[in-house]
Amino acid sequence: GFLFYEEGVTEAAGRVIEAVDRERLAIARALGVRVLSEPDLGVLQGYMREANYSTGYSTAPGFLGIGAQTQLDNRYLTEDVGFSLVFLTDLARRVGVETPTMEALITLASVVLAQDFRATGTRTLATLGLDGMTGSELAAL
């Protein structure tokens, strides 16, 4: 029973968010795509006041009052890890970008939920029909 962003996004949690975002930005760069950092995007879209990985989230008007989940088997792990992080790490391998923080989070979520997110591979280059493409071909999409 705590507020997910206001109380949950501490300085340490902010460092994890930043590490994941830096890996996401590196994947985009490797594909020749310019994307904004997560907090920069939040400020631009108006749900955050400051482009900061910790206080930007914990003080964001768009996140005020959101309670934490009551169980670990929640979309914040099953979807964000199972769909987003698994796909991003697959894409990163194809374009030669290391993603140690994303990989660690996939491993932790898999252990916590007793579900191998990599093995289930719901969203990967293969499941999207992109498995035979090179990094250059993916960048051209």
Side-chain angles (χ1 to χ4, degrees), residues 1 5-7 12 14-15 17 19 23 29-30 34 51 58 60 75 90 93 100 104-105 109 116 121 129 134 138 141:
Y5 293 95
E6 293 166 78
E7 297 173 313
R15 288 191 298 273
I17 295 168
E23 291 172 8
R29 272 192 309 279
R34 183 183 176 273
S58 62
R75 70 178 184 88
D90 191 28
R93 279 188 296 280
L105 290 171
D116 187 346
T134 66
L138 289 167
L141 288 177

Side-chain angles (χ1 to χ4, degrees), residues 6-140:
E6 293 166 78
E7 297 173 313
V9 183
T10 62
E11 286 294 321
R15 288 191 298 273
V16 174
I17 295 168
E18 182 175 7
V20 168
D21 201 37
R22 290 195 187 287
E23 291 172 8
R24 181 184 67 88
L25 294 169
I27 296 165
R29 272 192 309 279
L31 290 166
V33 177
R34 183 183 176 273
V35 296
L36 295 175
S37 73
E38 177 59 32
D40 285 337
L41 183 60
V43 170
L44 180 67
Q45 291 179 334
Y47 62 87
M48 292 173 73
R49 289 187 197 130
E50 61 179 297
N52 180 290
Y53 287 96
S54 56
T55 57
Y57 288 94
S58 62
T59 64
F63 296 142
L64 295 178
I66 296 175
Q69 298 72 38
T70 58
Q71 57 189 21
L72 288 173
D73 190 356
N74 180 278
R75 70 178 184 88
Y76 283 177
L77 285 179
T78 59
E79 292 177 15
D80 292 358
V81 172
F83 290 87
S84 296
L85 293 184
V86 168
F87 173 74
L88 286 170
T89 57
D90 191 28
L91 182 58
R93 279 188 296 280
R94 184 63 50 93
V95 297
V97 173
E98 292 188 16
T99 54
T101 308
M102 289 182 188
E103 292 288 354
L105 290 171
I106 294 168
T107 299
L108 285 171
S110 294
V111 170
V112 166
L113 293 176
Q115 175 184 349
D116 187 346
F117 284 102
R118 287 183 191 89
T120 53
T122 305
R123 184 180 294 157
T124 63
L125 292 172
T127 64
L128 295 173
L130 305 171
D131 196 36
M133 298 180 81
T134 66
S136 298
E137 291 170 330
L138 289 167

